[in-house]
């Protein structure tokens, strides 16, 4: 039984679907019962658990041969306090249930304990979950291409791609489809101890590349629009993002600009197969169907 936490999110959902495609027994873990409706025809088992509750997490891991574990993106409160609570609950539950294998979602840049904003929470998550399962894999993907969906409205209506990244700076990016496939593949592989695997798309991309992909998908010009650092906090506040969360996100973009959000030398590295244009077309398709 493969247990997937965060199945209603991007990476967790893709991991669950990739495991289902492999014909494996899957149990997804959701926070609320009403989230289960979308999964009822897939044949998965469904567990309800708060990820900061050790007993509920342990119950969800009952009988698991492997699990996909993560720390959900912060939405309210202090991201570091959230990580401490969730990471501790996941680790203690995994030890209690003697979980044989875990693939833990982390991020490119998680080798740094500071200077990367919200990604530093994943450095802490790796520390908390080190050795929690008999075999533990930290999967460090690059920036999710699907994160650009948050500015898709401006792309469609104004022909501009707002970006906190310098338009020409190429960084590791990857579609969450590839993240799910990689996590499922790693859960199916035979490995022991602790490992780290970093994951990028077929190549590194820039905001200019993303704008070009949107332009190709839409059939009209799209121009990257760099947002200066002094304007970013106000923009996030206007979008309703709480200050503690916004500060952590802005710190990540500072880390990208400084070059700290990058592959770690000497670490195992894999590449996905989903092209930038295909991922962008999927963003637009999802908007059209919603």
């Amino acid at each position: 039984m493969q247990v997937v936490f965060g199945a209603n999110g991007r990476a967790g959902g893709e991991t669950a679907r990739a495991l289902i495609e492999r014909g494996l027994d899957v149990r997804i873990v959701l926070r609320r019962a009403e989230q289960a409706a979308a999964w009822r025809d897939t044949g998965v088992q469904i567990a309800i658990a708060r990820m900061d509750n050790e007993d509920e997490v342990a119950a969800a891991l009952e009988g698991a041969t492997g699990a996909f574990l993560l720390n959900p993106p912060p939405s309210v409160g202090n991201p570091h306090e959230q990580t401490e609570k969730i990471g501790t609950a996941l680790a203690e539950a995994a030890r209690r249930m003697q979980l044989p294998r875990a693939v833990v979602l982390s991020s490119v840049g998680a080798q740094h304990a500071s200077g990367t904003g919200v990604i530093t929470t994943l450095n802490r998550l790796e520390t908390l979950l080190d050795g929690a399962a008999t075999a533990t894999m930290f999967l460090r993907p690059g920036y999710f291409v699907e994160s650009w969906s948050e500015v898709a409205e401006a792309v469609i209506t104004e022909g501009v791609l707002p970006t906190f990244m310098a338009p020409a700076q190429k960084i590791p990016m990857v579609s969450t489809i590839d993240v799910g496939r990689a996590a499922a593949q790693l859960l199916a592989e035979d490995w022991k101890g602790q490992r780290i695997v970093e994951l990028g798309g077929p190549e590194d991309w820039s905001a200019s590349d993303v704008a070009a992909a949107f332009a190709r998908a839409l059939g009209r010009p799209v121009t990257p629009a760099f947002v200066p650092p002094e304007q970013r906090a106000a923009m996030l506040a206007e979008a309703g993002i709480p200050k503690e969360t916004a500060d952590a996100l802005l710190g990540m973009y500072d880390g990208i600009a400084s070059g700290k959000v990058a592959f770690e030398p000497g670490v195992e590295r894999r590449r996905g197969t989903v092209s930038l244009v295909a991922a962008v077309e999927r963003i637009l398709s999802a908007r059209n169907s919603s």
Side-chain angles (χ1 to χ4, degrees):
M1 175 65 66
Q2 303 295 331
V3 177
V4 179
F5 285 78
N8 265 23
R10 288 170 176 156
E14 295 296 349
T15 299
R17 284 184 278 273
L19 289 167
I20 293 167
E21 288 176 1
R22 287 173 171 265
L24 300 175
D25 292 329
V26 177
R27 178 186 302 139
I28 63 169
V29 186
L30 307 173
R31 185 175 179 83
R32 299 184 301 276
E34 58 267 26
Q35 295 174 320
W39 295 92
R40 290 228 161 85
D41 296 329
T42 62
V44 301
Q45 291 185 18
I46 296 171
I48 308 300
R50 292 166 294 178
M51 292 178 63
D52 58 358
N53 185 299
E54 179 187 335
D55 291 337
E56 293 179 8
V57 171
L61 289 173
E62 179 73 37
T65 55
F68 178 74
L69 307 177
L70 52 73
N71 182 25
S75 56
V76 294
N78 186 309
H80 301 281
E81 292 178 0
Q82 171 186 299
T83 300
E84 205 69 28
K85 292 176 181 177
I86 289 177
T88 299
L90 291 174
E92 293 305 315
R95 290 189 179 96
R96 188 204 304 184
M97 304 308 293
Q98 299 181 333
L99 180 64
R101 181 166 298 177
V103 171
V104 180
L105 183 65
S106 185
S107 171
V108 166
Q111 67 269 29
H112 301 294
S114 64
T116 60
V118 70
I119 295 176
T120 62
T121 64
L122 299 175
N123 175 277
R124 178 58 180 160
L125 185 70
E126 290 189 8
T127 300
L128 290 168
L129 288 169
D130 184 12
T134 304
T136 306
M137 171 77 69
F138 297 111
L139 177 60
R140 295 179 179 172
Y143 189 91
F144 291 170
V145 175
E146 286 75 9
S147 296
W148 293 98
S149 64
E150 295 158 13
V151 296
E153 182 67 23
V155 172
I156 294 167
T157 61
E158 302 172 33
V160 297
L161 178 85
T163 172
F164 290 179
M165 303 177 199
Q169 183 182 7
K170 291 185 182 289
I171 66 168
M173 293 190 203
V174 64
S175 169
T176 52
I177 297 173
D178 279 330
V179 176
R181 289 172 178 169
Q185 175 64 37
L186 291 168
L187 283 167
E189 291 178 4
D190 184 20
W191 42 272
K192 295 178 174 62
Q194 178 186 300
R195 285 174 62 194
I196 297 171
V197 170
E198 296 190 319
L199 179 69
E203 57 186 292
D204 290 353
W205 294 307
S206 67
S208 291
D209 294 328
V210 175
F214 271 107
R216 177 174 171 183
L218 292 168
R220 47 192 166 85
V222 175
T223 304
F226 180 67
V227 180
E230 61 271 16
Q231 297 178 12
R232 296 173 187 173
M235 181 179 289
L236 295 181
E238 185 177 346
I241 298 174
K243 186 178 186 307
E244 287 181 309
T245 303
D247 288 344
L249 292 173
L250 293 174
M252 177 186 71
Y253 288 104
D254 290 341
I256 290 172
S258 72
K260 295 189 79 169
V261 182
F263 290 127
E264 182 178 7
V267 170
E268 181 180 350
R269 192 175 305 166
R270 300 187 184 188
R271 291 280 188 182
T273 60
V274 178
S275 71
L276 182 57
V277 170
V280 165
E281 287 175 342
R282 184 166 174 258
I283 290 172
L284 295 173
S285 176
R287 285 181 57 85
N288 292 334
S289 62
S290 62

